[in-house]
Amino acid sequence: GHGGGRMRIGWVGVGVMGRHMAGHLMAAGHEVSVFSRTASKCAPLVEAGARLASSPMDAANGADAVFTMVGAPSDVEQVTLGGGGVLEALEPGSLLIDCTTSTPSLAQRVAAAAAGKGVLALDAPVSGGDVGAEAASLSIMCGGSDEAMGGSGYLLDLLGSRVLHMGPAGAGQHTKMCNQILAANNMLGVCESLRYASAAGLDADAVVRAVGAGAAGSWAMNNLGHKVVANDFAPGFMIEHMAKDLGIAVSEAERLGLELPGLANARRLYDALLAAGHGRDGTQALVLALDSPTNPAVSPCR
């Protein structure tokens, strides 16, 4: 690796997570160039000393490492492999770390294209939400060569508390699908449990405390249970992103010959909420689909 000296880093995609993560790299003394399609999202980082780049390629110019954290696989493809993308500027020996939740097959294509330029690529999706991004306590699941992992570890340790090398290119994305399948089922369990609590006349907040401490407790129950009870749908993780991820999970599962009924059910409910205009709500708004399982569109959009 780079032994922990000051590095030049490009950061492409400044969303809810990316702004915190790029901020940690800056706080550690690294020089960051930042690009986002919505330049205003870069303002807090620019005020803190980041350079505003005019394109992904510009952000990658002269960089030791570039992080991408954008919306969808099509965005990853555009900012990485497309014209004006980061691979046009990255120099041999540099690192390309994609933290977007994307497809394993694209991760493999990106790694191959990067290798052709002597660039070390890692697919490194994360879990832990905006809370974990801000606290630098993310779980980071990595796919790529040992060399790519070795070079990136020092930077990833600034962003997460658990950084694991899961296998070759694409393995990080496959692990993130395991995470999203679990997260979607967990959230449905939380919402059903708390709907039952309310219907039975219990103090639902007390139920969160009671079951959250037991064997059925989960991150979702302990962090989002009270929000479900309060009908607080402010997003930690948006439904539109979960719906996208579950679409990837379903197609990967089909490709692997798996039938996963819990995943299929959660995807159906999230897609219905997305269609009803709840895409910008947090995943805990899944509870709205239970109020009218056949037609979530009747739930008023906030």
Side-chain angles (χ1 to χ4, degrees), residues 3 32 78 90 104 131 142 175 191 223 227 233 245-248 253:
V32 175
Q78 191 184 354
L90 278 175
V131 182
C142 307
T175 306
C191 292
N223 286 273
K227 292 188 175 186
F233 303 134
D245 293 355
L246 295 183
I248 296 172

Side-chain angles (χ1 to χ4, degrees), residues 128-143:
D130 57 335
V131 182
E134 192 165 2
S137 63
L138 295 168
S139 174
I140 308 180
M141 315 150 206
C142 307

Side-chain angles (χ1 to χ4, degrees), residues 80-138:
T80 307
L81 306 173
V86 297
L87 273 180
E88 289 188 1
L90 278 175
E91 291 157 23
S94 60
L95 302 164
L96 173 57
I97 304 167
D98 181 30
C99 296
T100 314
T101 298
S102 177
T103 64
S105 59
L106 179 58
Q108 290 163 348
R109 275 201 292 138
V110 166
K117 303 209 161 192
V119 172
L120 299 166
L122 205 65
D123 48 294
V126 307
S127 177
D130 57 335
V131 182
E134 192 165 2
S137 63
L138 295 168

Side-chain angles (χ1 to χ4, degrees), residues 190-239:
V190 167
C191 292
E192 291 191 354
S193 172
L194 295 176
R195 266 292 171 266
Y196 180 98
S198 298
L202 297 169
D203 173 344
D205 279 310
V207 171
V208 172
R209 290 196 298 278
V211 305
S218 64
W219 188 96
M221 181 60 93
N222 292 321
N223 286 273
L224 297 169
H226 293 296
K227 292 188 175 186
V228 169
V229 175
N231 284 321
D232 172 2
F233 303 134
F237 187 64
M238 287 183 197
I239 283 177

Side-chain angles (χ1 to χ4, degrees), residues 2 10-11 31 53-54 59 63 89 122-123 162 166 169 171 190 200 210 213 218 263 267 293 296 301:
H2 291 264
W11 192 284
E31 196 181 318
S54 59
L122 205 65
D123 48 294
R162 179 163 295 179
M166 303 305 299
V190 167
S218 64
L263 168 61
R267 186 204 184 187
C301 185

